[in-house]
Amino acid sequence: MTTRLSHLFLRTLRDNPVGAEVASHQLLVRAGYIRQAGAGIYSWLPLGLTVLRKIEQIVREEMAAIGAQEVHFPALLPKEPYEATGRWEQYGDGIFRVPDRKAEGIEYTDENGETLTVRLPNHLLAPTHEEVFTLLVKDLYSSYKDLPLNLYQIQTKYRDEARPRAGLLRGREFIMKDAYSFCVTEEDQQAAYNAYRAAYVRIFERLGLPAIPVSAVSGAMGGSASEEFLFPCAIGEDTFVESPGGYRANVEAVTTVPPQPVDYDDAPPAEVHYTPGTDTIATLVDAANANHPREDRPWTAADTLKNVVVAVVTPEGERRIAVIAVPGDRDVDLKRAEATIGVKLGIPGEISVEAAESTDFARHPELVRGYIGPSLSLDAPHLGASEERPSATGIPYLADPRIVPGTRWITGANEPDQHVFGLVAGRDFAWDGTIESVVVRDGDEAPDESGPLSTRRGIEMGHIFMLGQRYADALGLKVLDENGKQVIVTMGSYGFGVTRAMAALVEANHDEKGIIWPAAVAPADVHLVATGKGTEIFETAEKLAGDLEAAGLSVIYDDRPKVSAGVKFGDAELLGVPIILVVGRGLKDGQVEVKDRRSGQAQDVPVGEAVAHLVERSRSVV
């Protein structure tokens, strides 16, 4: 049925909504696809739902093609499964927890002496559904003969984002496709992973969205063999790298090729020097060159060891201090550190990493700001290349992989106005572990030696990874194998951001006039505009609308009789249907105008040939 603008629930806007900073947010609101209901929460209007359902249909078709079956879970879930996996606490403030009327209550007396009861949350709005997928399979399947199994859903998720922004790209309510594979053998799990990866490639091809698979880390979800699909975009929150030889990875997953250990048998003893007013790397280098020059070359920032104090915030809100040692010409990327430091320190769940604040230093007076160094053991025996030991201060001390035994450094002496020169790693100090945390720079060598890295920004569109046995083990998902022995099921996880895909499509397909939808997801095949005052124009447009629908093309028909041509053309360009058909003043010559929204090129076509022309043209429009 033709969609008539005279009856469509739609109001377009000429100006960008307040607070909308990215193109997708601005245009989807202006074009009447979505409306904001609250911070990070959006209502879907008819045209928005049309596009959203087309994206979902492409996803469903590709999931069906690999044998995945669709289920649907509630968004409101009890806390018990999440307690069993530890995620009820690990999510911290990142989820919405709610009590029902039967929830346990705590009584307290307010300032007026009145006794009140606060009910404790016993449900959550699901941020993701690993637990209930796992329990459903546990409830129904018990034999290896039932596996492998692939299940998926397209469902609304909820995250209590601290700073919802960028419209659909970072909201508190969003729609995801989440899928899970359940396998007994590693071969089956690898086959499932490969099938989903190929399906994702096809989904993005059909959407017309150039998403790139890159190596990634699994983070708090656990698992291995992790890849993200990123859409290269300047507004993206993720940074990824590429090399000429084809290496691609999210910066969080980039690994450093460490230098070889250096022989330090002939290294002179380290010396402590008085270095007043040198609480930055720049002032330290200047002082070193002025007062303690080298014979072979000047000191540089790369000769210094920078010790960065970070606060690791646990899901419960506790701040734990750690020190990260990096070469002085490098800076710590807190997001990279966040990806792995929780595992390094044995903190489960979704942690965050922040720069240490004054209050953190006040709690740790042993950390002398500007002069922090490792716990020194200047007369200690050689520690060896891989030995690790607890920090003497009790504060975890983690080192960049470039800090290998035998490397020599200038670093803080843990005393005001004092630095150590010639401190030898592995002889004079040790570390609790290594961590990838420095900012990845253009020109860094790819870990597979495929050339220098270049960095780009991107929007995460999907994430696939081997989930392993974490959830199956915690929730008791076991089956009998072919020998009658109970084995834990291995799982894979495959997420795809449906609403995020819609926003990314707008980011990739717009101009100064509005949206330019790819044909596969456009709200209609043809936007028919009737401009003029004569009844013949509207009668002709009406007939064309019916003929186009009969030929299999969907139509948005601007049949508004008292709206100017300029407003109609502006709305057509804003809404973004790939083909605009104009019935107007050319009709007196038996012509209508067909305009390509993407190229802007227009041509006159005889009225009698318009339907056939558009059917043929629609086959080639992307």
Side-chain angles (χ1 to χ4, degrees):
M1 180 179 292
T2 299
T3 299
R4 300 173 183 274
L5 285 190
S6 61
H7 294 86
L8 182 64
F9 186 57
L10 174 70
R11 284 293 183 271
T12 58
L13 304 176
R14 296 302 127 200
D15 299 319
N16 291 328
V18 175
E21 298 179 349
V22 302
S24 57
H25 189 186
Q26 295 166 352
L27 293 173
L28 287 171
V29 173
R30 283 184 53 207
Y33 287 87
I34 61 174
R35 293 289 288 181
Q36 183 167 320
I41 308 170
Y42 293 88
S43 300
W44 290 83
L45 280 64
L47 290 183
L49 277 175
T50 299
V51 175
L52 186 68
R53 297 298 178 242
K54 289 189 174 185
I55 296 172
E56 291 178 350
Q57 184 59 28
I58 289 173
V59 172
R60 285 189 169 95
E61 289 172 2
E62 293 301 336
M63 289 297 96
I66 62 171
Q69 302 174 65
E70 185 173 7
V71 296
H72 190 81
F73 290 108
L76 179 67
L77 295 170
K79 73 174 183 179
E80 285 78 12
Y82 290 83
E83 283 186 316
T85 60
R87 294 208 296 176
W88 178 260
E89 294 80 17
Q90 291 169 12
Y91 269 118
D93 294 332
I95 59 174
F96 292 98
R97 297 176 173 85
V98 295
D100 65 11
R101 66 183 65 193
K102 297 180 180 180
E104 178 185 355
I106 296 179
E107 292 188 349
Y108 74 99
T109 303
D110 68 9
E111 57 186 11
N112 298 318
E114 184 178 354
T115 300
L116 302 174
T117 299
V118 176
R119 297 196 180 278
L120 300 178
N122 59 351
H123 287 75
L124 78 163
L125 294 176
T128 183
H129 283 78
E130 282 81 4
E131 283 82 354
V132 286
F133 267 97
T134 305
L135 289 173
L136 179 64
V137 177
K138 176 185 176 181
D139 185 39
L140 297 176
Y141 279 0
S142 59
S143 169
Y144 77 96
K145 297 179 181 179
D146 299 320
L147 306 180
L149 172 68
N150 291 286
L151 299 176
Y152 79 97
Q153 69 166 343
I154 297 176
Q155 169 63 296
T156 303
K157 312 290 186 181
Y158 299 88
R159 301 280 177 92
D160 192 2
E161 286 283 352
R163 294 176 297 277
R165 57 195 179 276
L168 300 181
L169 290 174
R170 182 168 287 277
R172 296 197 291 171
E173 176 185 274
F174 53 94
I175 298 173
M176 273 188 63
K177 186 279 299 176
D178 47 338
Y180 298 89
S181 56
F182 301 85
C183 302
V184 173
T185 68
E186 291 184 6
E187 293 78 11
D188 284 344
Q189 179 54 62
Q190 186 63 55
Y193 183 92
N194 294 343
Y196 277 100
R197 190 183 193 279
Y200 273 43
V201 171
R202 291 192 298 271
I203 287 170
F204 289 116
E205 287 177 348
R206 292 181 63 183
L207 290 175
L209 195 62
I212 299 172
V214 304
S215 298
V217 294
S218 301
M221 299 290 288
S224 60
S226 177
E227 288 180 283
E228 290 175 346
F229 285 79
L230 298 179
F231 161 55
C233 184
I235 68 164
E237 294 185 331
D238 285 82
T239 302
F240 68 100
V241 298
E242 296 178 296
S243 75
Y247 175 82
R248 292 192 180 109
N250 189 304
V251 289
E252 297 169 12
V254 175
T255 56
T256 303
V257 180
Q260 291 296 314
V262 180
D263 179 52
Y264 52 76
D265 288 340
D266 61 347
E271 297 179 342
V272 178
H273 291 294
Y274 180 56
T275 53
T278 58
D279 57 355
T280 67
I281 296 297
T283 56
L284 175 59
V285 171
D286 289 343
N289 283 316
N291 303 316
H292 310 283
R294 295 176 59 135
E295 294 182 357
D296 53 344
R297 60 172 176 80
W299 296 106
T300 69
D303 298 313
T304 67
L305 186 65
K306 183 190 298 184
N307 296 281
V308 180
V309 184
V310 298
V312 182
V313 184
T314 71
E316 296 76 28
E318 178 188 358
R319 293 177 70 86
R320 299 190 189 179
I321 300 303
V323 178
I324 301 176
V326 301
D329 62 337
R330 293 277 181 165
D331 293 315
V332 169
D333 181 336
L334 295 178
K335 190 173 182 181
R336 286 195 78 207
E338 194 171 272
T340 57
I341 198 169
V343 175
K344 295 286 183 179
L345 301 183
I347 304 174
E350 294 191 359
I351 57 92
S352 61
V353 177
E354 304 171 358
E357 301 173 351
S358 297
T359 53
D360 299 314
F361 284 97
R363 289 188 293 110
H364 295 277
E366 67 273 27
L367 297 175
V368 184
R369 298 184 78 164
Y371 300 92
I372 299 171
S375 299
L376 305 182
S377 301
L378 299 182
D379 57 351
H382 292 185
L383 297 170
S386 60
E387 184 174 343
E388 298 176 353
R389 63 182 183 188
S391 169
T393 64
I395 298 173
Y397 189 74
L398 304 172
D400 182 80
R402 297 168 182 81
I403 301 168
V404 297
T407 52
R408 307 173 194 189
W409 307 94
I410 305 173
T411 191
N414 296 310
E415 295 289 342
D417 297 328
Q418 295 190 56
H419 280 88
V420 185
F421 284 64
L423 195 73
V424 178
R427 183 192 72 180
D428 302 327
F429 71 97
W431 43 96
D432 297 299
T434 58
I435 185 172
E436 295 283 0
S437 68
V438 302
V439 175
V440 178
R441 300 191 300 213
D442 287 345
D444 284 348
E445 182 63 32
D448 63 354
E449 300 182 349
S450 60
L453 298 175
S454 58
T455 58
R456 300 173 69 185
R457 303 290 292 176
I459 298 172
E460 182 185 344
M461 304 307 307
H463 192 177
I464 63 174
F465 54 96
M466 304 282 201
L467 192 57
Q469 298 179 332
R470 172 183 173 181
Y471 296 95
D473 189 23
L475 297 169
L477 174 54
K478 300 178 181 180
V479 297
L480 295 176
D481 66 10
E482 57 188 356
N483 298 315
K485 180 182 177 182
Q486 279 202 329
V487 294
I488 300 171
V489 171
T490 298
M491 297 169 59
S493 175
Y494 317 93
F496 175 86
V498 177
T499 45
R500 179 169 283 200
M502 184 166 170
L505 282 166
V506 177
E507 293 293 337
N509 299 277
H510 73 273
D511 59 17
E512 70 281 359
K513 298 176 182 179
I515 303 169
I516 310 172
W517 290 113
V521 298
D525 297 312
V526 178
H527 189 125
L528 174 58
V529 178
T531 66
K533 298 181 180 179
T535 57
E536 183 183 2
I537 289 175
F538 286 89
E539 290 173 353
T540 302
E542 186 76 29
K543 184 177 187 306
L544 283 171
D547 291 345
L548 287 167
E549 291 278 356
L553 299 183
S554 57
V555 178
I556 291 177
Y557 173 28
D558 193 342
D559 61 337
R560 295 174 293 179
K562 296 182 180 180
V563 176
S564 70
V567 170
K568 289 187 175 185
F569 292 146
D571 283 345
E573 290 168 329
L574 179 62
L575 267 56
V577 174
I579 298 174
I580 301 172
L581 172 62
V582 181
V583 181
R585 59 187 178 185
L587 188 60
K588 65 180 186 299
D589 298 319
Q591 302 285 314
V592 292
E593 182 184 76
V594 176
K595 184 177 181 179
D596 186 294
R597 174 68 184 90
R598 187 172 299 276
S599 69
Q601 295 180 348
Q603 69 178 105
D604 290 333
V605 177
V607 175
E609 300 175 12
V611 173
H613 174 84
L614 290 172
V615 169
E616 180 64 28
R617 190 180 185 120
S618 68
R619 295 170 181 164
S620 61
V621 174
V622 295

